[in-house]
Amino acid sequence: MSNNKPRTLFDKVWDNHVVQRKEGFPDVLYIDTHFIHEVTSPQAFNGLRNRGIQLARVDQTWGTADHNVPTKDQHLPIKEALSRHQVETLTKNCDEFGVKLYGLGHPFQGIVHVIGPELGVTQPGKTIVCGDSHTSTHGAFGSIAFGIGTSQVEQVMSSQCTLQNKPKAMRIVVDGELQDGVGAKDIVLYVISKLSASGGTGYFVEFAGSAIQNLSMEGRMTVCNMSIEMGARGGIIAPDQTTFDYLEGREFAPKGEKWEESLAYWKSLPTDEGATFDAEFVYDAADIAPMVTYGTNPGMGVGVDKSVPTPESESDKKALEYMGLKEGEALIGKPIDYVFIGSCTNARIEDLRAVADFVKGKKKADGVNVWIVPGSKQVEKQAIAEGLDQVYAEAGFELREPGCSACLGMNEDKVPEGMYCISTSNRNFEGRQGPGARTLLASPLTAAAAAVKGHIVDVREELTTA
Amino acid sequence: MKYTKSTCVPLNIENVDTDQIIPARFLKATTKEGFGDNLFRDWRYDKQDQPIADFVLNQDTYKGEILVAGKNFGCGSSREHAAWSIDDYGFKIVVSSFFADIFKGNALNNGLLPLVVSEEFLAELFADIEADPSTTLEVDLESQTAWITGKEDNKQSFEIDDYKKMCLINGYDDIDYLLSLKENIAKYEQDRVYAFNV
């Protein structure tokens, strides 16, 4: 594969993993790391059992329980019978097939897309899959990471490969300086609002430009996490010193000589000068305001200082009806009932610190429920070590235990019908946070500011008056 | 699946996400069966679990093996349960002008054909079904064409890769194919550009 044609980061990583390419057939793509969780793996394990085979590369497979777990009293048995059964089935399957499992009670347990990076399993140049669409998160390291269905989970378990048509390449460049109070979440919500919830379909997206390079690894993960929300297969960001500094010394990161060897390889991965993309978009970071969504797909977002746009289709009208919002209505001042700070998008230590810095010495508004759900046991431990739990307690914010929580209404944490929840998660679909729940997606900072005021505010103004 | 002719169930909504197809609280099963009962659960049933008369699956007027939906069908979560629930309900084909990538792959892996037609054809199909619910769509996988019965002069051709077409027609399985490549995979592992530490 070593010709002189300039290649993209995505091309290099993809082409390095093609076991077989044949006209009319999807590529046979080798997978370096396979993460599994309780929801999308049981039917795949059943498939292996039916065939009487083992996992092809059990050492490249990592399991955790996250979607179904309660975020309170994790030391007690899970109350809900079906959730308990699914989590227990994962434990049984991992035991039987010899898969490493960081289940409830394990110090590494957490949301699958939080633990992979924090353990150093996620590395530049890898191919990474999981039966979960937000696997795109891991692309922040310069790996090709994407969500797969359960049939493909079974493909990877049985062969360490999956059949994939190579997506087209898109580059999204965000240059310039972000305003104070605007962060990674706002960047990605802004991009999705420009390109729509389907604008990236068929593409793998490289995020580039100075505003992206200036993000921390955690910010980059937030951006790549939501690349799926514009329909893209995944997002990818060139590995650089920020990436290497983040990884060095982590539990499963390469050490010693292997570290040096890895660095040399990783440094060869960024997109070559002159490489071309099938589509390219350029945005100015200074144009981005704190974002909030008003509809029922993540493309329906606007700057928080704007009003609800005029619906352009029947689907838009249906969305506003569901949300109980009217065209032309201002978003600032809209009362909220719940605040959810968590999920694979925004439940890392920097998110928790940003919230604590903002609320220090402030109190939540009366009648608002505020949940802070750390992404992993390690994030939880770190937050407590830094005394963030005290700050939250004084503000009336509830710090819970790690899991997917109210991001998807699958466990006990649900937003009641008709209630408004400002949420740092990734999806505002109808019923996503519970039947009839109304989700407004935003950054941790915007969510924290809303928690304090009891309604949507422009966090930029809160910062200047502080 | 070589040729299908069926009446259609119209769902004229755009951006139907997989949380609507099958809400997360119904993903707790550890087998693939029975998901059809909860297909479009929150559009189909009210809080008291009574059928919502307005929703198309609850209307006797519309029946068939083909679901026709607005553009960007199947966006959101990668849950294959969405494809299982549509298949389990009894649909063989979903027609739309645009599908989300992961859903499309999941559908094909379960013998459910995601059939992409032009926006114009989709609009015409919706209009015809609305005017006459007995309208039938014919789909020929071999020639990769679809047409509304009686409108053979306006055949839509659709894309599907040769491999997936072969699998659908013959009922082949991806895993059998991958397992047959065991030696190639082992050779890849030996020769690869870079081997990771974990």
Side-chain angles (χ1 to χ4, degrees):
Chain A
M1 308 256 174
S2 59
N3 54 34
N4 293 325
K5 195 170 168 270
R7 289 192 300 160
T8 65
L9 162 63
F10 174 70
D11 280 336
K12 293 182 197 181
V13 181
W14 184 281
D15 293 347
N16 281 354
H17 288 85
V18 174
V19 172
Q20 179 180 281
R21 179 169 287 164
K22 212 162 125 182
E23 184 63 33
F25 282 67
D27 283 352
V28 177
L29 194 73
Y30 187 82
I31 300 303
D32 294 309
T33 297
H34 187 194
F35 292 111
I36 63 168
H37 62 82
E38 77 277 15
V39 183
T40 55
S41 66
Q43 292 86 355
F45 278 113
N46 285 345
L48 296 188
R49 240 176 242 119
N50 291 341
R51 286 174 202 266
I53 56 174
Q54 295 295 313
L55 273 81
R57 292 288 173 267
V58 75
D59 53 325
Q60 290 168 223
T61 314
W62 314 70
T64 190
D66 54 6
H67 285 62
N68 272 283
V69 303
T71 59
K72 257 186 142 165
D73 298 329
Q74 287 186 344
H75 59 288
L76 299 176
I78 299 175
K79 281 185 234 152
E80 217 262 322
L82 288 173
S83 289
R84 187 172 65 242
H85 176 66
Q86 209 168 43
V87 171
E88 285 172 358
T89 302
L90 177 70
T91 307
K92 263 191 246 161
N93 284 333
C94 287
D95 275 355
E96 181 184 335
F97 288 90
V99 177
K100 291 172 288 297
L101 174 65
Y102 302 144
L104 278 181
H106 194 284
F108 293 162
Q109 181 267 337
I111 305 174
V112 62
H113 311 308
V114 175
I115 71 169
E118 79 182 1
L119 291 172
V121 178
T122 301
Q123 296 173 16
K126 275 190 171 184
T127 46
I128 299 175
V129 294
C130 174
D132 190 287
S133 57
H134 292 111
T135 308
S136 56
T137 311
H138 308 260
F141 290 78
S143 56
I144 290 182
F146 54 89
I148 55 177
T150 300
S151 294
Q152 291 164 317
V153 169
E154 195 181 332
Q155 291 177 18
V156 178
M157 283 180 174
S158 41
S159 68
Q160 206 56 32
C161 290
T162 172
L163 297 170
Q164 297 288 333
N165 290 306
K166 188 176 178 182
K168 290 179 284 185
M170 179 188 287
R171 178 157 63 183
I172 293 175
V173 178
V174 187
D175 270 324
E177 290 280 326
L178 291 169
Q179 301 172 41
D180 277 350
V182 176
K185 182 64 164 288
D186 302 302
I187 296 180
V188 70
L189 283 173
Y190 177 83
V191 169
I192 302 166
S193 77
K194 293 286 173 198
L195 294 178
S196 89
S198 59
T201 305
Y203 289 93
F204 218 94
V205 180
E206 178 170 346
F207 290 95
S210 58
I212 300 292
Q213 284 162 348
N214 289 336
L215 292 174
S216 67
M217 283 318 293
E218 299 196 355
R220 294 178 190 186
M221 284 186 244
T222 301
V223 171
C224 287
N225 171 279
M226 288 195 71
S227 55
I228 180 73
E229 306 309 336
M230 55 184 179
R233 278 308 255 133
I236 191 167
I237 294 174
D240 60 9
Q241 198 55 45
T242 304
T243 320
F244 311 144
D245 290 345
Y246 176 95
L247 277 172
E248 191 167 12
R250 290 192 181 259
E251 186 81 18
F252 295 102
K255 309 265 162 30
E257 251 175 61
K258 187 71 183 174
W259 172 257
E260 296 304 324
E261 192 192 311
S262 300
L263 269 184
Y265 177 59
W266 297 343
K267 286 177 179 171
S268 74
L269 295 172
T271 295
D272 298 329
E273 189 85 37
T276 54
F277 291 82
D278 301 296
E280 185 151 13
F281 298 91
V282 180
Y283 301 106
D284 183 351
D287 291 344
I288 305 175
M291 295 289 293
V292 64
T293 64
Y294 59 88
T296 56
N297 74 60
M300 301 175 84
V302 285
V304 68
D305 50 351
K306 300 284 188 298
S307 50
V308 176
T310 306
E312 287 173 2
S313 65
E314 281 307 310
S315 302
D316 286 358
K317 276 187 206 156
K318 186 171 178 287
L320 290 193
E321 206 171 292
Y322 180 85
M323 291 299 293
L325 292 171
K326 289 191 182 61
E327 135 181 35
E329 188 179 346
L331 286 162
I332 290 176
K334 183 82 197 166
I336 47 116
D337 308 293
Y338 280 77
V339 178
F340 172 56
I341 294 165
S343 87
C344 56
T345 315
N346 281 123
R348 299 181 178 83
I349 191 67
E350 289 176 11
D351 300 314
L352 269 59
R353 282 182 193 140
V355 170
D357 282 350
F358 181 83
V359 302
K360 197 161 195 168
K362 301 186 179 88
K363 286 219 177 324
K364 75 170 181 72
D366 288 341
V368 176
N369 290 291
V370 187
W371 294 338
I372 302 198
V373 183
S376 69
K377 288 307 278 183
Q378 295 208 88
V379 171
E380 179 189 40
K381 197 174 151 196
Q382 181 69 24
I384 292 170
E386 295 179 16
L388 307 189
D389 54 332
Q390 294 304 317
V391 177
Y392 300 147
E394 281 159 26
F397 289 17
E398 188 184 348
L399 179 65
R400 299 172 74 103
E401 293 171 275
C404 295
S405 185
C407 176
L408 87 166
M410 180 160 193
N411 47 70
E412 294 164 12
D413 305 348
K414 292 186 183 72
V415 175
E417 188 183 353
M419 297 280 183
Y420 288 94
C421 178
I422 189 156
S423 176
T424 68
S425 54
N426 39 59
R427 289 187 174 137
N428 50 355
F429 298 153
E430 284 185 28
R432 172 77 179 183
Q433 296 192 290
R438 291 159 163 168
T439 305
L440 305 148
L441 300 176
S443 73
L445 209 47
T446 294
V452 170
K453 294 287 175 175
H455 54 79
I456 297 178
V457 291
D458 187 335
V459 72
R460 288 172 298 189
E461 286 168 21
E462 302 304 309
L463 296 173
T464 49
T465 57
Chain B
M1 181 199 287
K2 276 187 181 147
Y3 166 82
T4 305
K5 178 180 180 180
S6 171
T7 49
C8 304
V9 177
L11 184 65
N12 198 352
I13 301 173
E14 291 173 6
N15 298 311
V16 174
D17 59 75
T18 54
D19 276 81
Q20 306 318 316
I21 298 172
I22 181 100
R25 62 187 190 281
F26 299 111
L27 305 185
K28 301 186 188 193
T30 52
T31 61
K32 292 183 186 179
E33 289 75 38
F35 286 103
D37 294 344
N38 294 313
L39 173 65
F40 297 118
R41 180 77 202 194
D42 293 338
W43 287 348
R44 202 167 138 198
Y45 297 100
D46 65 17
K47 277 155 276 165
Q48 284 74 43
D49 292 327
Q50 296 305 306
I52 297 170
D54 283 354
F55 189 63
V56 69
L57 292 193
N58 295 324
Q59 295 169 357
D60 285 337
T61 329
Y62 302 109
K63 295 270 173 243
E65 295 183 338
I66 301 176
L67 177 67
V68 184
K71 76 173 173 204
N72 198 26
F73 186 83
C75 58
S77 152
S78 63
R79 59 190 69 165
E80 192 158 324
H81 312 68
W84 296 336
S85 60
I86 295 171
D87 176 65
D88 189 59
Y89 185 87
F91 290 115
K92 301 279 170 263
I93 297 171
V94 186
V95 179
S96 180
S97 55
F98 200 90
F99 289 93
D101 283 336
I102 302 181
F103 175 81
K104 199 174 181 179
N106 286 342
L108 287 166
N109 283 337
N110 287 279
L112 179 70
L113 177 66
L115 196 155
V116 185
V117 296
S118 67
E119 301 242 357
E120 295 72 33
F121 187 88
L122 187 66
E124 187 180 346
L125 181 56
F126 274 129
D128 284 8
I129 299 166
E130 197 184 338
D132 178 7
S134 71
T135 299
T136 54
L137 184 73
E138 295 178 58
V139 179
D140 183 47
L141 189 54
E142 201 74 67
S143 65
Q144 297 179 217
T145 49
W147 62 94
I148 299 167
T149 307
K151 292 184 170 177
E152 282 77 4
D153 52 334
N154 181 22
K155 286 195 176 177
Q156 274 278 302
S157 56
F158 61 88
E159 299 284 322
I160 180 168
D161 70 47
D162 295 351
Y163 170 75
K164 274 296 161 197
K165 184 172 166 180
M166 177 189 81
C167 289
L168 278 179
I169 290 175
N170 301 309
Y172 283 174
D173 184 322
D174 284 347
I175 294 174
D176 292 332
Y177 174 63
L178 284 168
L179 290 175
S180 77
L181 299 174
K182 225 171 178 168
E183 281 175 25
N184 306 46
I185 297 167
K187 188 171 175 339
Y188 168 84
E189 286 178 326
Q190 248 171 32
D191 299 348
R192 65 184 139 182
V193 177
Y194 189 75
F196 292 90
N197 67 315
V198 286

